[in-house]
Every structure is written in structure tokens, then in C-alpha cells.
Amino acid sequence: MYLDYTVEIPESKGKITYREKNGATYVYYEYDRVYDAKKKYTTVKRRTIGKVVEDDPARMRPNEIFKKFFPEVEAPEQREDAARSSCLRSGTFMAIREVIKEYGLDKKLDEVFDPKQRGLILDFAAYSIITEGNAAQYYPDYAYNHPLFTDNMRQYSDSTISDFFRDLTEDQRACFLELWNEERSKREKIYISYDSTNKNSEAGDIDIVEYGKAKVDMGEPIFNYAVGYDVNNREPLVYEQYPGSINDVSQLKYMVTRMKSYGYKDIGFILDRGYFSHDNLKCLDENGYDFIIMVKGIKDVVQDIIKKHKGSFESDWGSYVSEFGVYGKTVQSFVYASDSKKRYFHLFYNSGKAAGERSRFEETIQGMQAWLDKQRDQEREFSSTFHHYFHIHYNENTFVYAEPKLDVIREELEMCGYFAIISSEKMDFKKAIDLYKSRDASEKVFRADKSYLGNNTLRVASSEAAANKIFVAFIALIIRCRLYTALKDKAKEMTKKPNYLTVPAAIRELEKIEMTRQLDGEYRLDHAVTKTQTEILSAFNIEASHVKYKVAYINDALKGA
């Protein structure tokens, strides 16, 4: 990101070089030379620090890297063009402000961060929610036509924003998470849905960014991001980021330890099948935490149990769970031979799911067979997946033909539509699936984080900025989750479900509530709020008659600026 001011090009003899590209001249700074004794040559390390000003070749517009190598050069704190639009979009700001007040987020942030940092954290969180983007270079455009959470709604320079993303410390981030979890419910048992995803990075100079097993492989290095979500109170509790090469299964034990350090005692973890492992179940047992975990029917550990009980519940109407369209049954068994106690296996069958899985599996086998037939009479080796479903026949090193393993394929076809949920706590199958399905909310959290907060990719140049951007994204996630649940609760109250009580639709509608600057310099509401806007605002306990008072608050804050 190029900053919104210019500086003289540094006089560092022999270290400044220039390169022209697409009609612009870029300034490079040589910061190191490394001699390779084996190859017997020196590698010069350079970074771009700015772009030459067209009408003044002695000056340049610096970027964030310039601040790293030349910290002594002073930069303006406030934007040079700090003008504001004569029309401010204020409706969503009002809703977000109510959520911040409800959670006391501003007060918690004030305990850890200075006022300027607190304001920018909330502003960037609001910016990512409203615009569905996280690129810092576009934040000034947002600040131009929106109310802000900074003191007196002050607009800061690009340089100050760049410093902000580097200056927040690990201690501050950790302290906020402690404060946030300190007030969360610990009296009643809660279930925590724990899930993770990975995100791409456009910069490779970040410690946690590595090449790993991406869920959507874009050929870029990734980092992993996990969230613990309280399904009872419908709010994120904690997040963690870890290197892209670490798999999800091994990371769970660190989250368990962390939740214990926050004082959570009577909790259960709701986990996807990706976390199913002997070590994870053992870790949860040792810490005294219950668990509910999904396992597919073809998994060896449940296949024998399903076969044993197959035909005993799939047509029993008393075993039907209409809400989820499944038949269920609960039995007890050991998960592993080394287990000291039995677990509760909740077996399920879904006829619609069976048809879909069967069709997809048949297409997969047919596709594999057709591809194998094309490889005949060639020297080929095949992956373990092909060997699992086919007997591969060779003549010396030449592939001759593939014979389907009929018993393996038949067993998998028979398991279509079956799945199991294993719980450590005694419960019936109806409660088990209800609790597991409650983790849908946490999956929506991840979709919101990537799709609606613009956080699918990091756009930063340092590890510090990456860690802080992830932290601000978590604050945005807390706020957006509350927007989502408030609107969902409002929709439940209404007989007819309107299409404007989703977060994206509500934001589009609330952004139409505008304040205009009039001849006396005062900002006033442009027009009365509509019926639709009134219903949306009521989800956040904002009455239409109160909007004018909130507009007056914004106007007074702008006077201070």
C-alpha cells in the first residue's frame, strides 16, 4: 500500500536503485548482501520502498516497507485531504454501535488499547462488515462517507493506519481475549463448536504462512485459522492462527488447553469428523471435557456397529427425527480396543442422502474404471485410492488391466446414507443430532469471515500486521455474529419471513439512511426512515423516533473533528 504523502528519496549511497514498470519508476532499497560460499556468489536483497513522484524526481510516495527501513522520517498523522462527504451513510453504523454497547466492546478495548487504537480497531471491523472487504488502501474511501468510531470521528493518514497494524502487541491481543472470556457464561454447561479453515496470503514474508493442505488450493501459501464458538449463547469465544503445514487434528489439544486456562470447566466440544483421532479423544477425557463428534458410516470404527444394527431402525417411525429427515438409534460400544469406557454411538440413516451418495459413488467408480482402461499397456503406477477399489494387474512393469474389488465396492454402497455421531455424555440420538446440527452456526461464522468480511486472503507485508489483521477480523466476527442472531430472532417473531432480515440485505437497506450536510454546516437526516428500515433497526432495539437523537450524536462528534 502506497501512503498518502511524499518524502525525499533517501540519500543512501550505493543502496538506492530504480526500476521502471508500466510507466512508473519504483525506488528499491538494498538492505543486505548474502555470500553463498558453496555457489561462490553474493545475493543482493532489495525491497521496493516507494514510487517516484511524476513531476518531482527528487521525491517519492513511500510504502509500508519504507517505514521499516527509515523509521526516523516523520509522517503526518492526519490525512492531508481530511474532507468529508456532504452525505454520510449512517444506518449500519447505528446498528453496529448498539452491538458494541451491548457487549461493552469499546470499554474492554479501552482497558487494553489506547483511544486511537480502540477507534481504529472498531472502524476497521465496521469497514469489513459493511464493505465486505479488508484491503487497507480502500479504508479512506469508506471513512470519507461514513461516521467513525475514532475520537471525534477523526480521519487518520495512511501512514498512521500502516503503523496501527504493526503496533498492536501480542500481549494486548491476549489480554483482550482474557477480558472477553472473563465475562462469558461459566455457570451453566455450554457446548463449543470448534472448527478451522485456511486462508491464502499474497505475501510470503510472514512466519505462519506456509504451503500446506489447502481446502481450496489456489497455489498460494496458507495459514490456518480456528474459532471456538459457543453454540448456547451464539457468540465466538476465541480464535487462533497457526502455520499452514499443521493439520487440524493435532491442533485441537492446544485449543482444549486454552479453554481450560480461561476457566471453562463444564463444557463439551462439538467436532467435525476431521478431528476424529485417538489422541484427541484421550486429550478431551484427560481434561474432563465431553465431546460430540461426527463419523461417516464407512469409517472402520462404526462400520461393524452399523452392520450389526442395520435394519432395526431405518423404517421405525418412532425413530424418525422429522426436523432433520433421519432415522436414528443409540447404542453403546468402545471406540478403540484400548478404551476403558464405552461411548454412545448414535446411528443415523437418511434415504435422500443415501441416493445422492450412491449416485456419486457409482459415478466415481465408473470414472476411475474408464480412466484405468485408457492406461493399458503403459508403464504406470497408481495411487492408493485406485488400489483400494481395484486389483491392478501388471505384466512385469506394464499395466495390463484393472479388476474391480466387488466386495469393497458393495460394502461402501451398503453404507451410503449412514453416519454416526459419537458422544462421551449419555444422551439419546435426538439430542445428539440436535446438538451437532447446532454447529451449523459456527460454519456460517466461517462463511461470513471469508465471504462477508473479505478475509479469505491476507494483504499485508509483515508478521505483525498479519497477526493484527487477524485480530481485527475476530472483533468484526463478534459484531457480525450478533447482527446475524439479532436479525434471525427478529425474523422468528414475524409470521411472514421477509427477505431483508439477512445481514447483507439489512446492511444494503440501512446504508440508505443518510445524513446530509446543510447550509449551516450541520448534518441532519436526509429523510424519515422507511417501514423496512424501522423493522430492521427494531432488531437492535432502535426505535424510529430515536434515530434523530443518534444523528445528533454523530453531528456533535463531527463538530469536534
Side-chain angles (χ1 to χ4, degrees):
M1 182 178 79
Y2 287 93
L3 308 178
D4 60 351
Y5 63 95
T6 64
V7 298
E8 289 187 1
I9 297 174
E11 294 183 4
S12 296
K13 191 174 181 180
K15 292 191 174 184
I16 298 295
T17 54
Y18 300 87
R19 187 177 300 170
E20 290 191 10
K21 185 179 179 182
N22 297 329
T25 303
Y26 295 88
V27 183
Y28 286 77
Y29 175 71
E30 179 188 315
Y31 63 93
D32 198 10
R33 286 175 177 251
V34 179
Y35 179 71
D36 190 323
K38 290 184 179 180
K39 296 182 180 179
K40 295 183 179 181
Y41 68 79
T42 300
T43 301
V44 178
K45 294 189 175 184
R46 296 188 178 93
R47 295 292 297 272
T48 309
I49 60 170
K51 185 164 57 175
V52 177
V53 177
E54 289 185 12
D55 55 356
D56 189 350
R59 298 184 70 81
M60 70 175 190
R61 186 174 293 279
N63 60 14
E64 295 179 42
I65 302 299
F66 172 80
K67 298 280 293 179
K68 176 180 178 180
F69 294 122
F70 298 92
E72 70 280 1
V73 178
E74 293 187 7
E77 184 175 73
Q78 191 156 353
R79 289 184 62 193
E80 295 173 0
D81 58 338
R84 265 196 174 83
S85 172
S86 59
C87 179
L88 299 182
R89 301 169 187 171
S90 53
T92 314
F93 172 86
M94 294 176 190
I96 290 174
R97 187 164 174 262
E98 288 303 308
V99 171
I100 290 168
K101 285 167 61 181
E102 178 188 346
Y103 279 146
L105 276 175
D106 50 349
K107 294 178 180 178
K108 289 181 178 65
L109 290 168
D110 273 330
E111 289 188 47
V112 182
F113 302 95
D114 66 45
K116 182 169 72 175
Q117 290 173 331
R118 178 256 299 143
L120 285 172
I121 288 170
L122 294 175
D123 273 338
F124 266 93
Y127 160 62
S128 63
I129 292 168
I130 293 172
T131 67
E132 298 181 2
N134 72 350
Q137 64 263 38
Y138 302 126
Y139 168 75
D141 297 333
Y142 165 84
Y144 175 72
N145 57 20
H146 284 86
L148 302 174
F149 289 102
T150 52
D151 287 348
N152 295 325
M153 301 196 179
R154 186 174 183 180
Q155 295 171 281
Y156 287 101
S157 69
D158 287 359
S159 174
T160 302
I161 293 167
S162 175
D163 290 342
F164 157 73
F165 274 115
R166 287 198 307 268
D167 290 347
L168 307 185
T169 67
E170 185 176 350
D171 285 345
Q172 286 176 310
R173 297 192 298 269
C175 187
F176 172 82
L177 287 176
E178 288 173 6
L179 287 172
W180 174 246
N181 283 277
E182 193 176 273
E183 294 184 3
R184 307 278 66 79
S185 173
K186 296 186 178 72
R187 293 179 182 177
E188 299 177 355
K189 181 165 187 171
I190 62 170
Y191 281 89
I192 295 174
S193 175
Y194 177 70
D195 209 346
S196 63
T197 186
N198 49 57
K199 301 184 182 186
N200 300 293
S201 174
E202 294 180 353
D205 192 21
I206 299 175
D207 294 341
I208 63 169
V209 172
E210 300 175 344
Y211 283 97
K213 190 176 180 180
K215 290 179 172 65
V216 180
D217 193 356
M218 297 175 64
E220 294 178 344
I222 60 171
F223 69 95
N224 290 314
Y225 175 74
V227 170
Y229 180 87
D230 177 355
V231 299
N232 300 70
N233 299 295
R234 301 182 298 175
E235 56 192 19
L237 298 178
V238 67
Y239 77 95
E240 54 187 12
Q241 75 263 9
Y242 51 98
S245 60
I246 296 177
N247 62 46
D248 298 342
V249 177
S250 61
Q251 185 63 23
L252 175 64
K253 64 186 73 172
Y254 298 101
M255 174 61 85
V256 171
T257 303
R258 192 168 188 181
M259 298 311 294
K260 198 165 188 177
S261 73
Y262 288 142
Y264 292 100
K265 296 178 181 178
D266 195 8
I267 63 174
F269 279 88
I270 304 175
L271 305 167
D272 197 6
R273 55 180 175 264
Y275 293 95
F276 184 81
S277 76
H278 184 274
D279 287 345
N280 280 344
L281 301 193
K282 183 180 178 182
C283 174
L284 290 164
D285 279 342
E286 289 174 347
N287 285 278
Y289 292 153
D290 286 318
F291 62 82
I292 294 172
I293 189 166
M294 158 77 80
V295 189
K296 283 193 74 175
I298 60 172
K299 199 79 172 177
D300 292 341
V301 71
V302 298
Q303 199 170 42
D304 290 340
I305 296 175
I306 289 175
K307 284 180 181 178
K308 184 178 178 181
H309 296 276
K310 196 174 179 184
S312 65
F313 65 96
E314 296 92 329
S315 300
D316 180 2
W317 190 248
S319 299
Y320 188 64
V321 187
S322 58
E323 186 179 356
F324 305 111
V326 298
Y327 291 86
K329 182 175 185 176
T330 298
V331 298
Q332 277 188 280
S333 182
F334 294 108
V335 177
Y336 296 103
S338 59
D339 279 353
S340 59
K341 56 184 177 181
K342 291 184 176 181
R343 312 293 187 178
Y344 296 89
F345 283 72
H346 311 282
L347 312 179
F348 297 96
Y349 176 74
N350 182 318
S351 58
K353 186 181 175 74
E357 286 183 356
R358 190 182 186 95
S359 176
R360 287 190 295 272
F361 181 64
E362 289 168 348
E363 287 179 9
T364 298
I365 296 299
Q366 288 174 348
M368 293 172 73
Q369 180 75 73
W371 187 83
L372 285 166
D373 290 343
K374 293 179 182 178
Q375 312 307 312
R376 288 182 176 181
D377 302 321
Q378 297 182 45
E379 290 189 7
R380 293 298 307 266
E381 292 185 2
F382 303 99
S383 68
S384 58
T385 304
F386 285 96
H387 285 278
H388 179 70
Y389 293 114
F390 295 89
H391 294 290
I392 308 295
H393 296 276
Y394 289 92
N395 181 9
E396 295 183 350
N397 294 326
T398 302
F399 167 61
V400 181
Y401 71 97
E403 180 185 0
K405 293 182 179 179
L406 299 180
D407 54 340
V408 173
I409 295 171
R410 182 175 59 253
E411 280 193 359
E412 195 151 329
L413 284 169
E414 289 175 351
M415 287 296 108
C416 288
Y418 288 92
F419 63 96
I421 295 172
I422 303 175
S423 69
S424 58
E425 183 183 3
K426 185 178 180 180
M427 62 181 71
D428 63 20
F429 62 87
K430 293 180 181 179
K431 183 178 179 181
I433 195 167
D434 186 58
L435 280 170
Y436 182 79
K437 289 294 184 179
S438 68
R439 77 184 299 277
D440 288 350
S442 68
E443 291 178 347
K444 286 184 174 68
V445 163
F446 280 112
R447 286 201 293 273
D449 184 75
K450 281 192 168 186
S451 303
Y452 302 124
L453 298 178
N455 292 316
N456 60 314
T457 299
L458 280 185
R459 298 175 180 86
V460 291
S462 69
S463 294
E464 296 86 355
N468 288 325
K469 207 162 192 182
I470 293 166
F471 171 73
V472 172
F474 181 71
I475 301 297
L477 201 59
I478 291 173
I479 297 170
R480 196 184 186 282
C481 277
R482 183 60 190 130
L483 295 176
Y484 170 80
T485 56
L487 291 167
K488 189 174 183 181
D489 290 345
K490 179 66 180 177
K492 285 181 180 178
E493 296 173 5
M494 305 177 72
T495 306
K496 185 179 179 181
K497 300 296 184 286
N499 58 9
Y500 52 78
L501 288 178
T502 64
V503 178
I507 288 174
R508 284 195 298 271
E509 193 62 36
L510 292 179
E511 286 293 272
K512 298 174 186 176
I513 299 177
E514 297 176 336
M515 300 168 55
T516 57
R517 187 172 57 228
Q518 300 180 2
L519 291 176
D520 58 1
E522 302 279 324
Y523 280 90
R524 295 185 179 89
L525 199 62
D526 186 52
H527 51 74
V529 294
T530 66
K531 182 181 177 181
T532 298
Q533 292 162 353
T534 299
E535 288 184 343
I536 293 171
L537 290 172
S538 69
F540 308 100
N541 299 315
I542 301 174
E543 296 180 14
S545 59
H546 293 167
V547 171
K548 62 180 180 181
Y549 298 113
K550 296 183 181 299
V551 168
Y553 158 78
I554 295 170
N555 183 61
D556 290 343
L558 291 170
K559 285 180 183 178

